[in-house]
Amino acid sequence: MKKRLIAVIVAIALILVSLGVFLVVRHVRNNRPPELESLRPRVIALIDASHEINEIFWGEGLATYPRVYREYYTRVPFYLQKNGEGYTFSAEKTDNKLYYYTFTDAEVGEILAYQYCLKIADGEYVDVEKGDALTITDKTKYRYALVSSAADANAIFSANGKYYIPLPDYVEKEAEFYYSSADPEYYDYVRDDVAYLTVSAIKTKAEEVYAKDFLSSVYESMFTGIKVSESQNGTLYARYMDHTDSEGKGYLMKSNMWKPVPVSRIYLYDTMRMSEKRKSNATDVFIDIESYVPGKESEKQTITLSFTLQNGSWYLNSATY
């Protein structure tokens, strides 16, 4: 009886060992990484696509409008005297009042801007220089003259050693975009002609390339911000944020406190190989590729890139810059 019991125990043990071996073998087989050649096209496509995201996140970032504030030039009144059918400058105050202002154009010099449309009756306006009839739409328009210390026969006016020379084709320069004192101090407006104009649009593009687990930590610094300490400089501002102005219009803004890092890197795809130092499996693959920074072709480095399987597709799980 005892021998029979021992035989049964040994038989069960052999079955369990065999089952264990089978399960281990099956696990090893099922956990094998894919062949490199089957991954190669996807790896190349992901690395190529990552350059744009790297530039947005860590490089120069999306282009912004220069921080320019609209400058207001004080309007100064001047007076005209009716002289026959025309008008001449009057040193005394009259009922014929217009305005001028001066400013400096770095490329041209000191400029005088002056009104020329005078209201002479209800619904009637005249060009005080040319005598032509005008309309109310001309009332706020200006003409321009160069202010010069050199005598010029073409001057329309001269006084105190200054000559005012007509600039009939001059157009006062306007910035593409003006900031106001109400705008966030540490953020600039992203240009409206870039490809991504919301935080959501940037995320959508990034998630075509990088794995969500990798991006979760990146998103905190890019879109939320990190408070390092209670000190004045203890906050790392989010690099991008959605912003709605006082009129309800939405914009994407980029922090002007971030310092970009170089993100350009060239990968030599023919050197691609499975990493020997980091073991790959069925869901996580590590690939070694030689690369260099543009301009430093002789200083090649072997970079190990991580890829992970997510929803049936492979994504980068480490930065490529």
Side-chain angles (χ1 to χ4, degrees):
M1 187 70 178
K2 184 183 288 187
K3 290 182 179 180
R4 184 177 297 175
L5 180 60
I6 292 173
V8 170
I9 292 173
V10 170
I12 293 173
L14 289 172
I15 292 172
L16 291 175
V17 170
S18 298
L19 179 60
V21 171
F22 170 76
L23 292 175
V24 169
V25 170
R26 188 173 69 170
H27 173 73
V28 171
R29 286 178 176 174
N30 290 342
N31 205 36
R32 286 177 179 172
E35 294 295 328
L36 178 59
E37 288 308 308
S38 67
L39 288 177
R40 184 181 295 274
R42 177 65 173 169
V43 168
I44 294 174
L46 287 173
I47 295 174
D48 286 347
S50 72
H51 297 314
E52 181 183 13
I53 302 303
N54 294 346
E55 190 64 46
I56 292 173
F57 281 167
W58 301 288
E60 292 296 331
L62 296 172
T64 59
Y65 291 106
R67 206 167 184 89
V68 177
Y69 294 89
R70 186 179 293 279
E71 186 173 358
Y72 179 79
Y73 304 109
T74 301
R75 271 55 174 173
V76 180
F78 69 97
Y79 301 90
L80 300 169
Q81 180 68 49
K82 187 78 167 66
N83 184 9
E85 295 184 359
Y87 292 85
T88 57
F89 175 76
S90 172
E92 304 295 329
K93 291 184 178 181
T94 69
D95 292 335
N96 304 318
K97 181 171 70 173
L98 295 176
Y99 289 89
Y100 76 88
Y101 61 91
T102 60
F103 63 96
T104 300
D105 184 315
E107 297 178 0
V108 180
E110 186 179 359
I111 303 291
L112 169 75
Y114 61 95
Q115 291 180 330
Y116 56 91
C117 177
L118 180 68
K119 181 178 179 180
I120 55 177
D122 288 343
E124 293 185 41
Y125 300 85
V126 66
D127 185 329
V128 296
E129 287 188 297
K130 301 178 181 180
D132 299 334
L134 299 176
T135 67
I136 192 172
T137 59
D138 299 298
K139 190 70 179 71
T140 57
K141 294 179 181 179
Y142 287 81
R143 287 184 179 138
Y144 300 91
L146 175 66
V147 182
S148 174
S149 298
D152 192 302
N154 295 317
I156 55 172
F157 184 72
S158 63
N160 303 319
K162 299 290 185 181
Y163 297 84
Y164 299 86
I165 306 162
L167 296 173
D169 299 322
Y170 183 81
V171 176
E172 194 168 345
K173 295 179 177 63
E174 288 280 329
E176 287 185 274
F177 188 91
Y178 287 102
Y179 287 74
S180 75
S181 58
D183 291 326
E185 180 182 0
Y186 300 120
Y187 285 86
D188 297 333
Y189 286 93
V190 172
R191 293 181 59 89
D192 62 8
D193 54 2
V194 303
Y196 312 101
L197 295 175
T198 62
V199 166
S200 177
I202 296 175
K203 287 183 175 181
T204 297
K205 185 62 179 179
E207 289 167 16
E208 294 175 2
V209 179
Y210 284 107
K212 289 184 178 180
D213 284 347
F214 172 79
L215 289 173
S216 61
S217 61
V218 175
Y219 284 173
E220 183 178 7
S221 61
M222 287 295 144
F223 307 123
T224 303
I226 301 173
K227 192 167 187 177
V228 180
S229 69
E230 297 298 329
S231 68
Q232 184 176 359
N233 298 321
T235 299
L236 176 64
Y237 290 91
R239 188 163 204 196
Y240 295 97
M241 72 172 186
D242 291 320
H243 174 70
T244 302
D245 67 10
S246 58
E247 297 180 356
K249 184 175 180 180
Y251 295 90
L252 180 65
M253 302 193 79
K254 185 180 78 172
S255 170
N256 51 37
M257 302 294 287
W258 275 64
K259 292 184 178 180
V261 299
V263 294
S264 296
R265 180 168 289 277
I266 306 297
Y267 284 88
L268 305 175
Y269 294 130
D270 57 350
T271 67
M272 191 187 305
R273 58 191 181 277
M274 287 292 192
S275 177
E276 295 181 359
K277 292 183 178 179
R278 303 190 67 180
K279 297 301 180 183
S280 301
N281 56 47
T283 58
D284 292 283
V285 168
F286 303 94
I287 295 177
D288 290 342
I289 312 178
E290 290 184 20
S291 72
Y292 61 87
V293 173
K296 298 182 179 180
E297 288 78 0
S298 61
E299 300 178 19
K300 293 184 177 64
Q301 293 178 292
T302 297
I303 304 295
T304 300
L305 296 179
S306 174
F307 298 83
T308 191
L309 193 61
Q310 175 184 291
N311 298 326
S313 296
W314 291 94
Y315 291 87
L316 273 162
N317 205 27
S318 60
T320 57
Y321 66 90

